[in-house]
Amino acid sequence: MYQNLFIYRCSKSTSYSHLEEIFARIEDGVSIRIRDISRGADAERANVFSSIIAALHKRISDDYERPLLNVLKTGESEYFLILSVPATMKDEELRNLLAKICGSYNYESLRLLGGMPHSKEESEKYWSGILEDEETLPVGMIATARCTKERVEEVLTVSPDITGVLRNPSNSRLDLESLCATIWGSIACKYFETESVLIECKHENGKLFRIPLKVDTSSKFMDSYAFTEMQFRNALDYDNLLFEELESASYNDFSGVMAFSVGYYNRFRYAPLLKSLHAGIPYKLRHLESSDLPFRVYCYYCDTIMRIRYNYDVGLVRNAGIYSMHKAFCQTLERFLSSRDNVDINKIVLRPDKDTPEQRSTDFISQFLSRNEIFKFYNQKELIAFSSRCRRICKFSEETILEDGKKSNALYVVTSGKIVVETVGKDKNVKMIHVLRPGNIFGIECMLPNSTVDFTYRAVTEMVELIEIPSDFLKSELTLHPKLNTVIMNIQNNQLNKLAKLLAAKDL
């Protein structure tokens, strides 16, 4: 379950001894981690700060897990406290905890995008007007008929050249969230052979974290884009109700109306908070809401390249593969950037992919593992069979793959990016012990009777890609290839010995 975040900026007069008093009040029931991110230029520090909040916002925890307090040192005498608590925490318990940490249980809800929220009744009236168009095809019912309940997740990249053009100052006024939503709505129209659709868009503001947005392709693309941008702008003032309340007020079951869910993430989204938050006030960043729609796309806009994460039902994209849809998005985006008035949605071409998602994943994993000494005992056929049982996963900057004190149920192989291995010392400070690079493995604890992890593994590059080998499957493989166990244990023992020496050096 996603967590609520409470962000508290300490006053300039807050000393470390004062923080220690806070720790003493809460350490029996809260996990505490202290990180110093005060080094580097202002922009770099703000970007790290933003990435940490984004990662914590997407962090999934169990209801029984202890709250987590991240203490960030952002300047010479400046600290931010970020408290992560389960969304199910009881109000009284939350108030007591906030009072112990912040000195007050009163908090302000963060409105990252701004706006002046109208009443719940006015919000209901606005959305009823948007949703009353009977000509909009209920594509959700069509999509459901094609779904197989088998989901796949893939991350594909947008050309670095296109990302470079996006970063050009001439495009600084573009609303990329509206643009991405318009393109994906247009692709949905093409796919479902209709002129207008409703798509779900993420809206990290107010109570309404998921908004139904109408995309109409009956006019020029620039008009569709302007209409989408207007809806996003209006949503800032009409988001004073929950998604479930909107469904009830509009007599809609959106799962039958919508099929596409579109999100947009700018790595620098939370960077302004480093300067804009007032000291002495707890701010609440409400927990994220997950979508249940069959086609979910999330656009990540980072420093060097734009990536798109697709999570979809395999049956839905049988007639138009994910590579075909991704290509359509990239081409439409490129055409828009080169000529605003020369975007023709009718030129979008959708066709089935040559390979299935399973084939693409198996081919990639088998090719990568074939170059790793661990799997030198496998012939090609065996390696393909082995790879078909593994999974490719991606993590973005500051996201954790494994956390110390939690169970591990898989072995991981790094295929791209860098991961830091870190621990929390007795002084509650996070200590970086080691850096993992492509080809390295970790998570050997999954094969032990006690599968609890002793270190935290955190992504430090824009994206990290991994191969995940489930522990149950791996254990069954050891009976077929006994030498595999010896090789893995030797590699892991060497890594653990190295970690132990580095940790001892850090302690000294």
Side-chain angles (χ1 to χ4, degrees), residues 126-157:
Y126 167 76
W127 289 108
S128 294
I130 292 289
L131 300 169
E132 67 182 2
D133 187 357
E134 295 180 356
E135 295 180 3
T136 302
L137 189 68
V139 297
M141 297 187 340
I142 300 173
T144 301
R146 301 177 185 178
C147 290
T148 61
K149 306 302 181 184
E150 179 186 351
R151 299 199 71 89
V152 171
E153 184 163 292
E154 297 185 78
V155 176
L156 303 179
T157 60

Side-chain angles (χ1 to χ4, degrees), residues 22 42 45 111 156 215 249 265 324 388 403 405 446 480-481:
I22 294 175
D42 289 349
R45 190 167 66 251
R111 295 187 61 85
L156 303 179
V215 177
Y265 167 67
S324 178
S388 67
E403 289 187 36
C446 73
L480 300 175
H481 296 275

Side-chain angles (χ1 to χ4, degrees), residues 341-374:
D341 299 320
N342 193 31
V343 181
D344 186 357
I345 296 305
N346 293 320
K347 291 184 178 180
I348 291 178
V349 178
L350 301 177
R351 55 172 63 94
D353 291 335
K354 293 181 180 179
D355 299 324
T356 66
E358 294 80 5
Q359 288 173 324
R360 289 194 293 269
S361 177
T362 298
D363 289 345
F364 174 87
I365 293 173
S366 61
Q367 289 177 20
F368 189 90
L369 294 184
S370 67
R371 302 190 295 270
N372 194 303
E373 64 171 304
I374 298 176

Side-chain angles (χ1 to χ4, degrees), residues 221-222 332-343:
F221 184 84
M222 273 300 295
T332 306
L333 177 59
E334 188 173 24
R335 287 169 187 157
F336 180 85
L337 293 173
S338 61
S339 175
R340 304 285 197 268
D341 299 320
N342 193 31
V343 181

Side-chain angles (χ1 to χ4, degrees), residues 59-100:
R59 179 176 176 266
I60 297 177
S61 69
D62 299 316
D63 286 343
Y64 59 82
E65 187 175 320
R66 297 201 308 175
L68 172 65
L69 179 66
N70 275 273
V71 181
L72 303 182
K73 183 179 180 181
T74 57
E76 184 61 34
S77 58
E78 187 173 61
Y79 295 91
F80 279 80
L81 310 181
I82 306 176
L83 177 67
S84 306
V85 300
T88 55
M89 177 180 274
K90 295 179 180 178
D91 289 342
E92 183 178 356
E93 187 179 353
L94 175 60
R95 286 196 296 268
N96 290 336
L97 185 55
L98 285 176
K100 289 179 180 179

